[in-house]
Amino acid sequence: MGQWFFFSEKVDNMEEAAKDTLNLIYNSHPDFKPTIMDDGNYLIEYSRPAFTIVFRKEYECNWDYIEANHIKGLCNDEVLIDAQGRSNFFDKTGKICLFGRAKMFMDAQEPIVVKMFNPS
């Protein structure tokens, strides 16, 4: 799993722009929108141009941990509302997304850019 960033406009320094984006997500209200992909992986989109992918194998191998600890993925005093309007109610998708977002928070504390793709 890792964080991915996309930029709609050319940036001079992709590594710096990615770290800045991650910092903005980390230091603001961390809204996210989950999408279940055709291959069973989960795409977690944030309010900034970034996303996390939680691979099926990872959440399947860690399901007992996720099930037991998902609520620890909430920020202090945070209330998340699901698509049905329920507060802090987490189905399987919600639990997987909290897991992915929590790992993003851990990565954001000391970000390391591993690979960059430049379409030009």
Side-chain angles (χ1 to χ4, degrees), residues 13-14 16 20 55 69:
N13 184 326
M14 285 197 306
E16 183 179 314
D20 288 346
F55 296 102
N69 293 287

Side-chain angles (χ1 to χ4, degrees), residues 38-94:
D38 292 343
D39 56 8
N41 300 327
Y42 282 75
L43 177 76
I44 305 167
E45 295 179 83
Y46 302 104
S47 54
R48 301 286 178 173
F51 59 93
T52 299
I53 296 175
V54 180
F55 296 102
R56 180 171 61 189
K57 185 173 182 174
E58 183 174 17
Y59 69 76
E60 286 175 347
C61 289
N62 292 291
W63 184 249
D64 290 341
Y65 175 83
I66 293 168
E67 183 75 37
N69 293 287
H70 69 277
I71 205 72
K72 292 179 184 176
L74 289 174
C75 299
N76 291 338
D77 300 320
E78 180 178 31
V79 176
L80 295 178
I81 300 171
D82 70 5
Q84 288 76 38
R86 298 174 292 193
S87 300
N88 289 349
F89 176 86
F90 302 103
D91 58 7
K92 179 180 177 181
T93 297

